[in-house]
Amino acid sequence: MSLHDVFLLPADPQLSPDAATNARLRDRLAHEPLAARLLHHDHVQFFDCGEGFESVACPRCHAEIALEWWGETMDRDHDGAGFALAPHAMPCCGHGAALNHLVYRIKQGFGRFAITYPDPGGQPDPHLLADLAGILGCRLIVVHRHL
Ligand SMILES: [Zn+2]
């Protein structure tokens, strides 16, 4: 782990690629000078953005959510091993939304699987993202973590 890392997360937080898919991901990543690693977890983990975190908002009415409420809900949703990502009534409008569907600035995400590499700066190559998403069969969320 370095101070600045990129995490590529499947938009489906439960997605856990099988051995054949892992091999295809590794083959594709071998063409990149990224020193990428594949992270596998049995339970859904939170991938935070570190010091860049600004705010979290409701996905329906876009009201900013108090960080105190968000922190308590993160605790409540976590069973000690991972996140349930159960629907929670938003404090603003009562809309039921799971933690992974909130609007995070800067981007953060949840998942059982991630591709990570030291951040070379800038945004990931869109061709690489498209290839990896194609192999996984799932759109990817890009999280930049700066500690
Ligand atoms: Zn709302």
Side-chain angles (χ1 to χ4, degrees):
M1 290 288 153
S2 63
L3 289 178
H4 292 187
D5 289 297
V6 174
F7 295 87
L8 307 179
L9 311 173
D12 173 2
Q14 299 294 347
L15 192 147
S16 182
D18 62 18
T21 304
N22 287 329
R24 291 179 63 207
L25 291 170
R26 283 204 187 85
D27 283 349
R28 178 61 186 86
L29 288 162
H31 296 288
E32 305 291 328
L34 291 174
R37 297 184 304 123
L38 309 185
L39 303 179
H40 292 270
H41 295 283
D42 291 336
H43 302 276
V44 173
Q45 306 296 308
F46 177 53
F47 294 88
D48 74 276
C49 63
E51 68 180 16
F53 185 48
E54 291 173 9
S55 65
V56 54
C58 172
R60 184 165 81 173
C61 74
H62 306 292
E64 196 167 312
I65 290 169
L67 291 183
E68 188 180 359
W69 182 92
W70 179 70
E72 287 169 4
T73 306
M74 288 285 282
D75 288 344
R76 204 159 62 235
D77 198 70
H78 198 279
D79 65 7
F83 289 91
L85 300 180
H88 298 277
M90 295 293 105
C92 39
C93 63
H95 176 61
L99 288 164
N100 59 314
H101 290 144
L102 306 187
V103 182
Y104 294 97
R105 284 186 299 268
I106 303 292
K107 205 74 151 168
Q108 313 192 93
F110 295 81
R112 293 178 55 197
F113 173 74
I115 298 164
T116 185
Y117 51 86
D119 192 351
Q123 292 302 314
D125 175 4
H127 295 109
L128 172 63
L129 283 183
D131 286 353
L132 296 172
I135 294 168
L136 283 164
C138 188
R139 188 172 60 83
L140 288 168
I141 296 168
V142 181
V143 174
H144 291 264
R145 188 183 66 185
H146 288 191
L147 297 179

